[in-house]
């Protein structure tokens, strides 16, 4: 018999690369965006589970608001405008911290923490979703308080006060998440809040006039840039918190 030679038509180099890319793209799932992850979490869990402690949160926020409003009306009418700006910058993150830490610290101290970390949506993923909501709520409530302060002290520049408050809240939120992800210990968030208050009260204690004047004379566009940069860092930190896995260690 005659031996027949078979000719194999090998594909070109670019065709091989195209086939490989097609197989890889078809076999691997595309990573979800931050908003898609949050939306999917909300659709699968629902508001009732995500905020199962809504009554406790509402009570805590109402109590904190009452204390802040009482403090606003207790301010001396002769207080300087620059001092009010320093109060706004120092106290703006308080509402966010109280509400954000309420759920997280309770979850970390529960006996079921190890079990909850094995669920599809674990403690830190739920915390990331809630922190985003809490930051928006804190921003709105701070704005209402600033409007109230502006009615009592008409010398206040509302726009500057709003940007000052937003800058304070955004910077604190970024630092809060940074500490949460890198410092182990259930009460590290409390140390973070104590450090924030101390870092703002010490300059005011040694030189109240200089510190207050500095905060009140920072250009508006600087606060706007700080807000924008902090927002980007905040979203990136929330993404990392959502991607956190129990194998990385317990915070």
């Amino acid at each position: 018999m005659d031996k027949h030679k078979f000719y194999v038509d090998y594909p070109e180099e670019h065709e091989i690369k195209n086939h490989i890319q097609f197989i890889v793209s078809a076999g691997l799932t595309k990573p979800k965006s931050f908003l898609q992850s949050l939306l999917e979490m909300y659709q699968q869990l629902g508001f009732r589970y995500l905020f199962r402690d809504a009554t406790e949160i509402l009570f805590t926020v109402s109590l904190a608001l009452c204390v802040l409003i009482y403090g606003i009306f207790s301010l001396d009418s002769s207080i300087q405008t620059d001092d009010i700006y320093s109060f706004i910058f120092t106290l703006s993150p308080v509402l966010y911290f109280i509400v954000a830490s309420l759920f997280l610290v309770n979850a970390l101290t529960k006996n079921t923490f190890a079990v909850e970390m094995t669920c599809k949506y674990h403690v830190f993923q739920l915390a990331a979703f809630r922190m985003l909501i809490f930051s928006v709520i804190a921003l709105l409530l701070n704005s209402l308080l600033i409007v109230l302060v502006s009615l009592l002290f008409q010398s206040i520049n509302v726009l500057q006060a709003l940007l000052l408050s937003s800058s304070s809240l955004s910077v604190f939120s970024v630092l809060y998440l940074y500490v949460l992800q890198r410092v182990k210990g259930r009460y590290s968030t409390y140390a973070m809040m104590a450090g924030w208050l101390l870092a703002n009260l010490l300059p005011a204690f040694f030189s109240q006039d200089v510190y207050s004047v500095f905060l009140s004379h920072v250009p508006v566009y600087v606060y706007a840039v700080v807000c924008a940069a902090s927002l980007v860092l905040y979203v990136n930190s929330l993404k990392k918190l959502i991607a956190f896995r129990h194998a990385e260690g317990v915070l």
Side-chain angles (χ1 to χ4, degrees):
M1 295 180 62
D2 295 334
K3 294 183 178 179
H4 298 283
K5 294 183 178 180
F6 293 96
Y7 173 74
V8 179
D9 186 15
Y10 288 100
E12 298 292 335
E13 185 70 22
H14 70 277
E15 293 179 337
I16 296 176
K17 291 182 179 180
N18 290 336
H19 285 301
I20 293 175
Q21 290 178 357
F22 174 77
I23 294 172
V24 172
S25 61
L28 296 177
T29 56
K30 295 182 179 180
K32 298 175 183 177
S33 66
F34 177 65
L35 293 178
Q36 287 176 335
S37 300
L38 295 180
L39 181 60
E40 181 179 318
M41 191 186 306
Y42 175 78
Q43 291 174 341
Q44 295 190 11
L45 297 179
F47 179 86
R48 184 175 181 180
Y49 181 78
L50 286 170
F51 297 93
R52 59 182 183 269
D53 53 349
T55 303
E56 185 178 0
I57 292 174
L58 183 61
F59 173 78
T60 305
V61 171
S62 301
L63 182 61
L65 274 177
C66 289
V67 172
L68 290 174
I69 292 175
Y70 175 78
I72 290 173
F73 281 102
S74 300
L75 291 175
D76 191 350
S77 58
S78 62
I79 190 172
Q80 297 182 4
T81 303
D82 293 339
D83 294 336
I84 297 177
Y85 287 129
S86 65
F87 292 151
I88 291 174
F89 186 83
T90 302
L91 299 179
S92 288
V94 169
L95 283 175
Y96 171 81
F97 169 78
I98 291 174
V99 182
S101 297
L102 180 65
F103 162 79
L104 188 56
V105 173
N106 288 339
L108 293 175
T109 54
K110 287 197 311 185
N111 295 329
T112 58
F113 172 73
V115 177
E116 293 183 13
M117 285 298 296
T118 63
C119 298
K120 180 178 180 180
Y121 295 113
H122 53 68
V123 171
F124 298 110
Q125 288 175 326
L126 297 178
F129 184 95
R130 291 162 62 102
M131 284 179 182
L132 181 62
I133 303 299
F134 294 153
S135 61
V136 175
I137 294 175
L139 183 62
L140 294 176
L141 293 178
N142 286 343
S143 300
L144 291 176
L145 291 175
I146 288 174
V147 171
L148 179 60
V149 171
S150 66
L151 295 177
L152 297 176
F153 302 91
Q154 297 182 358
S155 59
I156 293 293
N157 185 325
V158 178
L159 177 60
Q160 183 176 5
L162 288 174
L163 287 174
L164 180 64
S165 175
S166 301
S167 300
S168 172
L169 178 61
S170 58
V171 170
F172 177 85
S173 301
V174 172
L175 294 175
Y176 181 85
L177 287 178
Y178 181 86
V179 171
L180 180 65
Q181 295 176 32
R182 289 169 174 79
V183 181
K184 296 182 179 181
R186 296 177 176 178
Y187 301 104
S188 58
T189 57
Y190 292 137
M192 168 64 200
M193 188 67 211
W196 173 268
L197 294 176
L198 192 63
N200 285 277
L201 291 177
L202 282 179
F205 176 77
F206 288 107
S207 183
Q208 173 68 34
D209 294 336
V210 174
Y211 185 65
S212 300
V213 170
F214 169 76
L215 290 176
S216 60
H217 285 76
V218 172
V220 172
Y221 70 87
V222 173
Y223 286 126
V225 171
V226 170
C227 290
S230 299
L231 179 61
V232 174
L233 294 175
Y234 184 62
V235 172
N236 288 334
S237 298
L238 287 178
K239 288 180 181 179
K240 293 179 181 179
L241 195 61
I242 287 180
F244 176 83
R245 291 293 179 267
H246 183 55
E248 295 178 13
V250 178
L251 296 183

